[in-house]
Amino acid sequence: MTQRTDPNTEPVRLLFEMTREDNPRLYDDLIRFNKGTKRVNRLRFLAHEGLLAQNWMLVPAAGGISQSPGAAQPASMSVNPIAAGHMVQAFDVPTLGGED
């Protein structure tokens, strides 16, 4: 008899190929790292940050907060400059002599 595992504890395994034409920014960012753990961790980090950014964008719409540029943001909706810097760095053009 086969054992059933809880879907919430089962690991997700991915194997995919991507060319530069598919997504140039993501490709350039990931190609900086050699195959292996560092590249996988970078992809995991970008996916996590993307989910956080996507969920953050949904919060104002759900609360009915105005998205106009002149509208004041409540303190809880202010941008963290450190987190913003990490996001800019994550999607910036990679340097040739960057990290391994």
Side-chain angles (χ1 to χ4, degrees), residues 35-57:
K35 293 180 188 178
T37 307
K38 289 184 180 182
R39 190 180 288 176
V40 170
N41 286 338
R42 180 64 177 170
L43 182 58
R44 184 181 295 137
F45 171 78
L46 292 174
H48 181 260
E49 292 297 310
L51 283 174
L52 291 177
Q54 182 179 22
N55 289 336
W56 180 83
M57 292 301 289

PDB file of all heavy atoms in Angstrom, residues 35-57:
ATOM      1  N   LYS A  35      26.131  26.948 -11.551  1.00  0.00           N
ATOM      2  CA  LYS A  35      25.046  25.998 -11.296  1.00  0.00           C
ATOM      3  C   LYS A  35      25.133  25.530  -9.845  1.00  0.00           C
ATOM      4  O   LYS A  35      26.210  25.378  -9.303  1.00  0.00           O
ATOM      5  CB  LYS A  35      25.178  24.768 -12.190  1.00  0.00           C
ATOM      6  CG  LYS A  35      24.964  25.031 -13.646  1.00  0.00           C
ATOM      7  CD  LYS A  35      25.118  23.728 -14.410  1.00  0.00           C
ATOM      8  CE  LYS A  35      25.104  23.965 -15.885  1.00  0.00           C
ATOM      9  NZ  LYS A  35      25.307  22.725 -16.636  1.00  0.00           N
ATOM     10  N   GLY A  36      23.992  25.323  -9.241  1.00  0.00           N
ATOM     11  CA  GLY A  36      24.000  24.763  -7.898  1.00  0.00           C
ATOM     12  C   GLY A  36      23.248  25.596  -6.890  1.00  0.00           C
ATOM     13  O   GLY A  36      22.321  26.345  -7.220  1.00  0.00           O
ATOM     14  N   THR A  37      23.696  25.483  -5.651  1.00  0.00           N
ATOM     15  CA  THR A  37      22.989  26.041  -4.507  1.00  0.00           C
ATOM     16  C   THR A  37      22.816  27.548  -4.578  1.00  0.00           C
ATOM     17  O   THR A  37      21.731  28.054  -4.279  1.00  0.00           O
ATOM     18  CB  THR A  37      23.742  25.672  -3.211  1.00  0.00           C
ATOM     19  OG1 THR A  37      23.931  24.260  -3.182  1.00  0.00           O
ATOM     20  CG2 THR A  37      22.970  26.093  -1.991  1.00  0.00           C
ATOM     21  N   LYS A  38      23.842  28.278  -4.968  1.00  0.00           N
ATOM     22  CA  LYS A  38      23.733  29.739  -4.986  1.00  0.00           C
ATOM     23  C   LYS A  38      22.688  30.207  -5.990  1.00  0.00           C
ATOM     24  O   LYS A  38      21.915  31.124  -5.721  1.00  0.00           O
ATOM     25  CB  LYS A  38      25.083  30.382  -5.284  1.00  0.00           C
ATOM     26  CG  LYS A  38      26.047  30.254  -4.131  1.00  0.00           C
ATOM     27  CD  LYS A  38      27.338  30.964  -4.401  1.00  0.00           C
ATOM     28  CE  LYS A  38      28.278  30.809  -3.219  1.00  0.00           C
ATOM     29  NZ  LYS A  38      29.522  31.511  -3.419  1.00  0.00           N
ATOM     30  N   ARG A  39      22.640  29.573  -7.145  1.00  0.00           N
ATOM     31  CA  ARG A  39      21.652  29.949  -8.157  1.00  0.00           C
ATOM     32  C   ARG A  39      20.240  29.596  -7.685  1.00  0.00           C
ATOM     33  O   ARG A  39      19.303  30.381  -7.842  1.00  0.00           O
ATOM     34  CB  ARG A  39      21.952  29.256  -9.479  1.00  0.00           C
ATOM     35  CG  ARG A  39      21.097  29.790 -10.616  1.00  0.00           C
ATOM     36  CD  ARG A  39      21.379  29.104 -11.922  1.00  0.00           C
ATOM     37  NE  ARG A  39      22.671  29.493 -12.464  1.00  0.00           N
ATOM     38  CZ  ARG A  39      23.180  28.972 -13.566  1.00  0.00           C
ATOM     39  NH1 ARG A  39      22.533  28.046 -14.226  1.00  0.00           N
ATOM     40  NH2 ARG A  39      24.356  29.369 -14.004  1.00  0.00           N
ATOM     41  N   VAL A  40      20.092  28.426  -7.095  1.00  0.00           N
ATOM     42  CA  VAL A  40      18.787  28.004  -6.582  1.00  0.00           C
ATOM     43  C   VAL A  40      18.332  28.944  -5.462  1.00  0.00           C
ATOM     44  O   VAL A  40      17.170  29.359  -5.416  1.00  0.00           O
ATOM     45  CB  VAL A  40      18.845  26.543  -6.074  1.00  0.00           C
ATOM     46  CG1 VAL A  40      17.584  26.174  -5.318  1.00  0.00           C
ATOM     47  CG2 VAL A  40      19.075  25.596  -7.240  1.00  0.00           C
ATOM     48  N   ASN A  41      19.233  29.299  -4.564  1.00  0.00           N
ATOM     49  CA  ASN A  41      18.881  30.208  -3.472  1.00  0.00           C
ATOM     50  C   ASN A  41      18.510  31.587  -3.997  1.00  0.00           C
ATOM     51  O   ASN A  41      17.619  32.242  -3.461  1.00  0.00           O
ATOM     52  CB  ASN A  41      20.009  30.306  -2.456  1.00  0.00           C
ATOM     53  CG  ASN A  41      20.107  29.071  -1.604  1.00  0.00           C
ATOM     54  OD1 ASN A  41      19.137  28.320  -1.459  1.00  0.00           O
ATOM     55  ND2 ASN A  41      21.283  28.832  -1.041  1.00  0.00           N
ATOM     56  N   ARG A  42      19.176  32.039  -5.048  1.00  0.00           N
ATOM     57  CA  ARG A  42      18.838  33.333  -5.640  1.00  0.00           C
ATOM     58  C   ARG A  42      17.437  33.298  -6.237  1.00  0.00           C
ATOM     59  O   ARG A  42      16.637  34.209  -6.041  1.00  0.00           O
ATOM     60  CB  ARG A  42      19.869  33.700  -6.712  1.00  0.00           C
ATOM     61  CG  ARG A  42      19.609  35.009  -7.386  1.00  0.00           C
ATOM     62  CD  ARG A  42      19.708  36.156  -6.433  1.00  0.00           C
ATOM     63  NE  ARG A  42      19.522  37.406  -7.144  1.00  0.00           N
ATOM     64  CZ  ARG A  42      19.363  38.568  -6.568  1.00  0.00           C
ATOM     65  NH1 ARG A  42      19.398  38.656  -5.255  1.00  0.00           N
ATOM     66  NH2 ARG A  42      19.198  39.647  -7.277  1.00  0.00           N
ATOM     67  N   LEU A  43      17.113  32.212  -6.933  1.00  0.00           N
ATOM     68  CA  LEU A  43      15.775  32.074  -7.504  1.00  0.00           C
ATOM     69  C   LEU A  43      14.733  31.998  -6.400  1.00  0.00           C
ATOM     70  O   LEU A  43      13.675  32.613  -6.481  1.00  0.00           O
ATOM     71  CB  LEU A  43      15.704  30.840  -8.398  1.00  0.00           C
ATOM     72  CG  LEU A  43      14.372  30.598  -9.098  1.00  0.00           C
ATOM     73  CD1 LEU A  43      13.996  31.794  -9.971  1.00  0.00           C
ATOM     74  CD2 LEU A  43      14.436  29.327  -9.928  1.00  0.00           C
ATOM     75  N   ARG A  44      15.044  31.273  -5.335  1.00  0.00           N
ATOM     76  CA  ARG A  44      14.124  31.174  -4.196  1.00  0.00           C
ATOM     77  C   ARG A  44      13.905  32.551  -3.573  1.00  0.00           C
ATOM     78  O   ARG A  44      12.783  32.932  -3.245  1.00  0.00           O
ATOM     79  CB  ARG A  44      14.696  30.202  -3.167  1.00  0.00           C
ATOM     80  CG  ARG A  44      13.780  29.963  -1.989  1.00  0.00           C
ATOM     81  CD  ARG A  44      14.391  29.008  -0.982  1.00  0.00           C
ATOM     82  NE  ARG A  44      14.542  27.686  -1.578  1.00  0.00           N
ATOM     83  CZ  ARG A  44      15.613  26.919  -1.431  1.00  0.00           C
ATOM     84  NH1 ARG A  44      16.642  27.330  -0.716  1.00  0.00           N
ATOM     85  NH2 ARG A  44      15.664  25.735  -1.975  1.00  0.00           N
ATOM     86  N   PHE A  45      14.981  33.326  -3.416  1.00  0.00           N
ATOM     87  CA  PHE A  45      14.881  34.670  -2.847  1.00  0.00           C
ATOM     88  C   PHE A  45      14.019  35.581  -3.727  1.00  0.00           C
ATOM     89  O   PHE A  45      13.132  36.280  -3.235  1.00  0.00           O
ATOM     90  CB  PHE A  45      16.282  35.277  -2.685  1.00  0.00           C
ATOM     91  CG  PHE A  45      16.284  36.729  -2.312  1.00  0.00           C
ATOM     92  CD1 PHE A  45      16.022  37.115  -1.009  1.00  0.00           C
ATOM     93  CD2 PHE A  45      16.526  37.706  -3.262  1.00  0.00           C
ATOM     94  CE1 PHE A  45      16.012  38.461  -0.667  1.00  0.00           C
ATOM     95  CE2 PHE A  45      16.520  39.041  -2.929  1.00  0.00           C
ATOM     96  CZ  PHE A  45      16.257  39.422  -1.628  1.00  0.00           C
ATOM     97  N   LEU A  46      14.259  35.542  -5.037  1.00  0.00           N
ATOM     98  CA  LEU A  46      13.490  36.384  -5.951  1.00  0.00           C
ATOM     99  C   LEU A  46      12.010  35.998  -5.947  1.00  0.00           C
ATOM    100  O   LEU A  46      11.141  36.866  -5.980  1.00  0.00           O
ATOM    101  CB  LEU A  46      14.058  36.299  -7.366  1.00  0.00           C
ATOM    102  CG  LEU A  46      15.444  36.908  -7.562  1.00  0.00           C
ATOM    103  CD1 LEU A  46      15.951  36.623  -8.962  1.00  0.00           C
ATOM    104  CD2 LEU A  46      15.424  38.395  -7.280  1.00  0.00           C
ATOM    105  N   ALA A  47      11.735  34.706  -5.874  1.00  0.00           N
ATOM    106  CA  ALA A  47      10.340  34.262  -5.819  1.00  0.00           C
ATOM    107  C   ALA A  47       9.672  34.738  -4.535  1.00  0.00           C
ATOM    108  O   ALA A  47       8.538  35.223  -4.547  1.00  0.00           O
ATOM    109  CB  ALA A  47      10.274  32.740  -5.921  1.00  0.00           C
ATOM    110  N   HIS A  48      10.389  34.637  -3.424  1.00  0.00           N
ATOM    111  CA  HIS A  48       9.846  35.075  -2.130  1.00  0.00           C
ATOM    112  C   HIS A  48       9.576  36.573  -2.133  1.00  0.00           C
ATOM    113  O   HIS A  48       8.502  37.035  -1.728  1.00  0.00           O
ATOM    114  CB  HIS A  48      10.814  34.702  -1.009  1.00  0.00           C
ATOM    115  CG  HIS A  48      10.328  35.080   0.342  1.00  0.00           C
ATOM    116  ND1 HIS A  48      10.767  36.203   0.993  1.00  0.00           N
ATOM    117  CD2 HIS A  48       9.418  34.484   1.151  1.00  0.00           C
ATOM    118  CE1 HIS A  48      10.147  36.286   2.154  1.00  0.00           C
ATOM    119  NE2 HIS A  48       9.331  35.265   2.289  1.00  0.00           N
ATOM    120  N   GLU A  49      10.531  37.348  -2.605  1.00  0.00           N
ATOM    121  CA  GLU A  49      10.362  38.798  -2.658  1.00  0.00           C
ATOM    122  C   GLU A  49       9.233  39.183  -3.613  1.00  0.00           C
ATOM    123  O   GLU A  49       8.492  40.127  -3.360  1.00  0.00           O
ATOM    124  CB  GLU A  49      11.668  39.482  -3.079  1.00  0.00           C
ATOM    125  CG  GLU A  49      12.769  39.368  -2.040  1.00  0.00           C
ATOM    126  CD  GLU A  49      12.408  40.052  -0.735  1.00  0.00           C
ATOM    127  OE1 GLU A  49      11.983  41.217  -0.757  1.00  0.00           O
ATOM    128  OE2 GLU A  49      12.544  39.412   0.319  1.00  0.00           O
ATOM    129  N   GLY A  50       9.110  38.445  -4.716  1.00  0.00           N
ATOM    130  CA  GLY A  50       8.029  38.708  -5.656  1.00  0.00           C
ATOM    131  C   GLY A  50       6.662  38.467  -5.033  1.00  0.00           C
ATOM    132  O   GLY A  50       5.724  39.233  -5.245  1.00  0.00           O
ATOM    133  N   LEU A  51       6.559  37.402  -4.232  1.00  0.00           N
ATOM    134  CA  LEU A  51       5.300  37.138  -3.535  1.00  0.00           C
ATOM    135  C   LEU A  51       4.985  38.229  -2.529  1.00  0.00           C
ATOM    136  O   LEU A  51       3.841  38.670  -2.412  1.00  0.00           O
ATOM    137  CB  LEU A  51       5.355  35.785  -2.827  1.00  0.00           C
ATOM    138  CG  LEU A  51       5.179  34.568  -3.710  1.00  0.00           C
ATOM    139  CD1 LEU A  51       5.412  33.299  -2.905  1.00  0.00           C
ATOM    140  CD2 LEU A  51       3.807  34.552  -4.343  1.00  0.00           C
ATOM    141  N   LEU A  52       6.006  38.670  -1.805  1.00  0.00           N
ATOM    142  CA  LEU A  52       5.786  39.749  -0.835  1.00  0.00           C
ATOM    143  C   LEU A  52       5.335  41.019  -1.546  1.00  0.00           C
ATOM    144  O   LEU A  52       4.407  41.696  -1.103  1.00  0.00           O
ATOM    145  CB  LEU A  52       7.057  40.016  -0.030  1.00  0.00           C
ATOM    146  CG  LEU A  52       7.478  38.937   0.953  1.00  0.00           C
ATOM    147  CD1 LEU A  52       8.808  39.319   1.614  1.00  0.00           C
ATOM    148  CD2 LEU A  52       6.410  38.684   1.992  1.00  0.00           C
ATOM    149  N   ALA A  53       5.989  41.341  -2.659  1.00  0.00           N
ATOM    150  CA  ALA A  53       5.616  42.548  -3.409  1.00  0.00           C
ATOM    151  C   ALA A  53       4.211  42.417  -3.982  1.00  0.00           C
ATOM    152  O   ALA A  53       3.435  43.371  -3.945  1.00  0.00           O
ATOM    153  CB  ALA A  53       6.625  42.787  -4.535  1.00  0.00           C
ATOM    154  N   GLN A  54       3.876  41.241  -4.470  1.00  0.00           N
ATOM    155  CA  GLN A  54       2.542  41.025  -5.038  1.00  0.00           C
ATOM    156  C   GLN A  54       1.481  41.154  -3.954  1.00  0.00           C
ATOM    157  O   GLN A  54       0.468  41.803  -4.158  1.00  0.00           O
ATOM    158  CB  GLN A  54       2.475  39.641  -5.673  1.00  0.00           C
ATOM    159  CG  GLN A  54       1.156  39.339  -6.341  1.00  0.00           C
ATOM    160  CD  GLN A  54       1.152  37.956  -6.969  1.00  0.00           C
ATOM    161  OE1 GLN A  54       1.928  37.093  -6.591  1.00  0.00           O
ATOM    162  NE2 GLN A  54       0.270  37.758  -7.921  1.00  0.00           N
ATOM    163  N   ASN A  55       1.713  40.573  -2.795  1.00  0.00           N
ATOM    164  CA  ASN A  55       0.754  40.670  -1.697  1.00  0.00           C
ATOM    165  C   ASN A  55       0.662  42.091  -1.169  1.00  0.00           C
ATOM    166  O   ASN A  55      -0.407  42.547  -0.793  1.00  0.00           O
ATOM    167  CB  ASN A  55       1.114  39.706  -0.564  1.00  0.00           C
ATOM    168  CG  ASN A  55       0.870  38.266  -0.958  1.00  0.00           C
ATOM    169  OD1 ASN A  55       0.068  37.976  -1.831  1.00  0.00           O
ATOM    170  ND2 ASN A  55       1.585  37.363  -0.337  1.00  0.00           N
ATOM    171  N   TRP A  56       1.779  42.824  -1.144  1.00  0.00           N
ATOM    172  CA  TRP A  56       1.765  44.210  -0.681  1.00  0.00           C
ATOM    173  C   TRP A  56       0.917  45.058  -1.605  1.00  0.00           C
ATOM    174  O   TRP A  56       0.183  45.930  -1.161  1.00  0.00           O
ATOM    175  CB  TRP A  56       3.183  44.758  -0.618  1.00  0.00           C
ATOM    176  CG  TRP A  56       3.208  46.173  -0.148  1.00  0.00           C
ATOM    177  CD1 TRP A  56       3.183  46.604   1.142  1.00  0.00           C
ATOM    178  CD2 TRP A  56       3.245  47.350  -0.956  1.00  0.00           C
ATOM    179  NE1 TRP A  56       3.211  47.973   1.188  1.00  0.00           N
ATOM    180  CE2 TRP A  56       3.243  48.463  -0.083  1.00  0.00           C
ATOM    181  CE3 TRP A  56       3.279  47.571  -2.316  1.00  0.00           C
ATOM    182  CZ2 TRP A  56       3.278  49.767  -0.556  1.00  0.00           C
ATOM    183  CZ3 TRP A  56       3.313  48.869  -2.772  1.00  0.00           C
ATOM    184  CH2 TRP A  56       3.312  49.950  -1.884  1.00  0.00           C
ATOM    185  N   MET A  57       0.973  44.768  -2.902  1.00  0.00           N
ATOM    186  CA  MET A  57       0.191  45.541  -3.857  1.00  0.00           C
ATOM    187  C   MET A  57      -1.308  45.276  -3.687  1.00  0.00           C
ATOM    188  O   MET A  57      -2.119  46.117  -4.011  1.00  0.00           O
ATOM    189  CB  MET A  57       0.605  45.205  -5.292  1.00  0.00           C
ATOM    190  CG  MET A  57       2.013  45.670  -5.644  1.00  0.00           C
ATOM    191  SD  MET A  57       2.248  47.444  -5.472  1.00  0.00           S
ATOM    192  CE  MET A  57       1.271  48.008  -6.839  1.00  0.00           C
TER     193      MET A  57
END
